Amino acid sequence: MNDTTERKQAEEKLKRYAAELEAARDGQEQNTRDLTQALDALGNAKVQAEAASQAKSEFLANMSHEFVRP
């Protein structure tokens, strides 16, 4: 009888570990999705910042030419 009890305890322990691993995997997958979204948002922000910087440079170049004219 002792062998059966130990075996059942070991099986229950393995089931708990398997459930913990599955939960950890699910959490990791969610973290990966969150990071992917954050990287996409960062990429979009970078494109917008570069466009704004280019527009500012063009504006300043045009304005400096206006001031130079007599």
Side-chain angles (χ1 to χ4, degrees):
M1 287 215 173
N2 215 7
D3 290 340
T4 304
T5 302
E6 288 177 9
R7 185 172 143 236
K8 286 186 180 186
Q9 288 174 345
E11 287 174 356
E12 287 301 315
K13 192 173 186 179
L14 283 173
K15 285 179 186 178
R16 284 193 308 273
Y17 285 151
E20 289 173 8
L21 285 173
E22 187 173 346
R25 187 197 66 207
D26 291 345
Q28 183 65 33
E29 288 174 355
Q30 183 61 47
N31 288 342
T32 299
R33 286 190 295 272
D34 292 345
L35 285 172
T36 300
Q37 288 177 346
L39 285 173
D40 288 345
L42 185 59
N44 291 336
K46 180 182 181 247
V47 168
Q48 290 176 351
E50 289 172 344
S53 178
Q54 181 64 31
K56 180 181 112 183
S57 295
E58 290 173 10
F59 173 78
L60 291 174
N62 288 334
M63 291 305 293
S64 66
H65 285 101
E66 292 295 323
F67 290 127
V68 173
R69 289 186 188 171

